[in-house]
Amino acid sequence: MSFTLAIVGRPNVGKSTLFNRLVGKRLAIVDDSPGVTRDRREGRGRIGDLEFMTIDTAGLEDVRDESLEGRMRAQTNQAVSEADVVLFLVDARTGITPVDEYFADWLRSQPTPVILVANKCEGKAGAPGLYEAYALGLGDPLPLSAEHGEGLADLYEALAPFRHETVPTESLDAELELDDAAEFDEDEVEPTWRTLPLQLAVVGRPNVGKSTLINHLIGENRMLTGPEAGITRDSIAIGWSFEGRPVRLVDTAGLRKKARVSDRIENLSAADTMRAIRFAHVVVLLIDAQNGLERQDLNIARTVVDEGRALVIAANKWDVIDSGRETLAAIRDRIETSLPQAKGLAVVTCSALTGRGVDRLMKAVLETYETWNRRISTAQINRWLESSTEAHPPPIVAGRRLRIRYMTQAKSRPPTFVAFVSRPKEMPEAYIRYMINGLREAFHIDGVPVRILLRGGKNPYVKS
């Protein structure tokens, strides 16, 4: 990116709407209620041929203590200090408020250049507020409508002087659009997936320590943390590397039981978390070790497995557990009985606060990712199939034994196999589970979803 642009302003002036407009996607959660955005979010912005890194920030409030609002203000201050240019948004329909005047004075004291933007200028209702904005002393305000895309040409002219040529680098945005259905050549020496960033989402119930874990991994207080439950609302992606391996970490909002969710913002946050799961490669389900594996944790785990993502369970807050062996045994037993579709799931104990066990967690993630991408040759599969069906033949249905003629791996991510069966519709689910468990044991496909698709061969002697 040629430069970094931070979008700031008081709550509910349209910062996230403008962010979504510039990045060309609905990445940030947008709602009419103020204070929706809390963490700062990054994305690749573009206006014509002008490309830049865009940072969406929380609404500016005059708070500097250790409250949630104070921590949000500190995140915005950090974004302003890192940016090459700041867009200061005001609401032209509401007019200039004392809060706008206060933060205009603060921005004038900062070394970062500031561009004043009067948002919501569509129609005539915003004209009075546009003229009032001149009094802020930040130069001529740019009339803009983030919702309707009006005024972007003027914004282009204002940002163009900040363009400078750089060596292209990978963006650290939250677009979450890596190809999760790519196929690879079995003979390929270094598969593409080994060099592309690993998309790693951290999910779980509220207040289990997801943001604290992200902060410890990257070594800075990038995500808002605190004793309050449900601080994170947007799914925020951060570029990182572990032992030379590029990783895109995604922090997500906590998922509560649907019956307990009545707030519109929480519904939007949950939908954003589900989107992060669908685009992830590996999902770390963080649980509170003090509470064990609860029903909601199992619901989240089933969702991850149903989406075909690789799953690792991390038992957090292990530093306050006294009976570690019994607690871990109880978690494993619950997984064995309640999540048989992910047999052999990796369970890692850790403490996001102290960093204990975090390296082991990442190694488990990489091992699970390798398994999720595993490909097995057709010859190996059919040798296994021959011995497996000889030891336990397919059942007899309507007086005739089902026959499995051939089997091959159709794709990885997750490992998916196709079996050509004489009468696929009559194959019992119990025998499919037997085959899946046999594949897991024979080829060490533990902890990831395994799928078998049944296909029937056309009989050439039956007239169509």
Side-chain angles (χ1 to χ4, degrees):
M1 302 295 103
S2 60
F3 61 91
T4 300
L5 169 70
I7 305 173
V8 305
R10 61 181 174 81
N12 214 32
V13 295
K15 298 182 297 297
S16 294
T17 303
L18 179 58
F19 174 85
N20 287 343
R21 172 70 63 179
L22 293 176
V23 300
K25 298 179 178 67
R26 292 182 64 87
L27 298 183
I29 294 176
V30 176
D31 192 76
D32 291 336
S33 55
V36 174
T37 302
R38 288 176 174 172
D39 288 288
R40 67 184 192 267
R41 174 171 217 153
E42 299 177 355
R44 288 180 295 185
R46 177 194 291 269
I47 306 176
D49 61 349
L50 190 64
E51 293 188 5
F52 44 86
M53 180 67 75
T54 310
I55 305 176
D56 185 22
T57 65
L60 283 167
E61 297 186 59
D62 186 19
V63 183
R64 297 181 183 272
D65 55 20
E66 292 302 314
S67 65
L68 176 59
E69 291 76 13
R71 300 196 299 274
M72 290 162 59
R73 170 69 187 275
Q75 288 279 327
T76 300
N77 291 355
Q78 183 69 20
V80 170
S81 65
E82 293 176 358
D84 297 306
V85 58
V86 171
L87 285 190
F88 180 44
L89 257 67
V90 297
D91 187 337
R93 290 179 176 257
T94 303
I96 302 304
T97 67
V99 176
D100 292 322
E101 294 173 351
Y102 175 83
F103 285 110
D105 291 340
W106 172 71
L107 286 171
R108 277 199 298 271
S109 68
Q110 303 300 309
T112 310
V114 179
I115 297 174
L116 178 61
V117 175
N119 192 27
K120 306 182 185 180
C121 275
E122 66 275 11
K124 298 181 179 179
L130 174 64
Y131 298 135
E132 289 179 17
Y134 281 91
L136 293 177
L138 292 173
D140 296 346
L142 293 177
L144 187 75
S145 172
E147 181 70 27
H148 298 89
E150 298 177 6
L152 292 180
D154 293 333
L155 183 58
Y156 175 94
E157 294 297 330
L159 293 176
F162 297 95
R163 170 166 39 191
H164 53 83
E165 297 300 324
T166 59
V167 178
T169 57
E170 179 161 357
S171 169
L172 308 183
D173 62 17
E175 294 180 23
L176 312 176
E177 291 190 286
L178 293 179
D179 181 10
D180 65 338
E183 293 295 333
F184 307 109
D185 188 345
E186 293 180 17
D187 299 325
E188 191 174 5
V189 176
E190 185 71 5
T192 308
W193 58 267
R194 293 186 189 275
T195 57
L196 289 175
L198 189 166
Q199 196 87 1
L200 176 61
V202 181
V203 304
R205 292 178 290 109
N207 215 30
V208 294
K210 298 182 294 297
S211 297
T212 304
L213 175 61
I214 297 286
N215 285 343
H216 183 86
L217 287 172
I218 64 177
E220 64 174 281
N221 290 324
R222 173 65 175 78
M223 309 304 302
L224 279 173
T225 60
E228 306 90 344
I231 291 177
T232 303
R233 285 175 170 172
D234 292 272
S235 294
I236 307 296
I238 303 166
W240 179 61
S241 65
F242 177 74
E243 296 182 350
R245 181 68 171 271
V247 179
R248 186 166 293 162
L249 292 168
V250 185
D251 188 20
T252 64
L255 291 172
R256 294 197 301 163
K257 294 179 181 178
K258 289 184 178 180
R260 296 182 179 178
V261 178
S262 57
D263 180 66
R264 171 178 165 80
I265 302 301
E266 191 172 354
N267 269 312
L268 293 172
S269 297
D272 206 28
T273 298
M274 293 305 301
R275 177 175 173 272
I277 291 174
R278 284 193 296 272
F279 282 101
H281 297 151
V282 182
V283 175
V284 170
L285 172 57
L286 203 64
I287 66 173
D288 188 333
Q290 300 173 99
N291 301 326
L293 198 64
E294 298 187 344
R295 180 176 296 180
Q296 177 62 3
D297 296 319
L298 289 170
N299 289 337
I300 298 171
R302 291 190 189 101
T303 299
V304 173
V305 173
D306 290 345
E307 289 290 342
R309 306 300 95 184
L311 177 64
V312 174
I313 291 184
N316 191 28
K317 307 182 183 179
W318 201 254
D319 52 320
V320 297
I321 297 296
D322 296 325
S323 54
R325 184 173 298 178
E326 292 81 359
T327 302
L328 184 58
I331 292 172
R332 292 187 185 278
D333 182 65
R334 187 78 188 274
I335 293 172
E336 188 73 21
T337 57
S338 302
L339 206 64
Q341 61 269 49
K343 191 175 181 180
L345 198 65
V347 180
V348 181
T349 60
C350 66
S351 170
L353 191 61
T354 65
R356 173 186 172 188
V358 171
D359 283 345
R360 288 189 291 107
L361 172 61
M362 285 307 303
K363 289 176 181 177
V365 165
L366 292 178
E367 289 173 3
T368 303
Y369 185 53
E370 293 272 346
T371 304
W372 189 63
N373 282 281
R374 182 165 299 162
R375 294 193 67 87
I376 306 165
S377 71
T378 299
Q380 288 179 296
I381 295 171
N382 283 283
R383 281 196 296 269
W384 164 82
L385 179 64
E386 183 179 356
S387 61
S388 179
T389 53
E390 183 177 339
H392 187 181
I396 296 173
V397 178
R400 291 187 298 168
R401 185 173 298 280
L402 299 176
R403 292 179 55 204
I404 305 175
R405 300 187 179 93
Y406 177 79
M407 197 167 176
T408 187
Q409 184 174 358
K411 64 183 289 290
S412 56
R413 307 159 67 91
T416 303
F417 302 87
V418 175
F420 294 88
V421 185
S422 56
R423 288 171 290 163
K425 292 183 180 180
E426 298 176 12
M427 179 68 75
E429 285 293 328
Y431 198 80
I432 296 175
R433 287 196 298 271
Y434 161 74
M435 293 171 63
I436 289 175
N437 290 333
L439 285 166
R440 286 189 189 280
E441 184 176 349
F443 301 109
H444 308 290
I445 315 175
D446 297 322
V448 300
V450 175
R451 295 170 177 172
I452 294 181
L453 308 177
L454 302 182
R455 297 286 184 267
K458 184 178 180 181
N459 190 336
Y461 299 100
V462 176
K463 294 181 180 181
S464 56

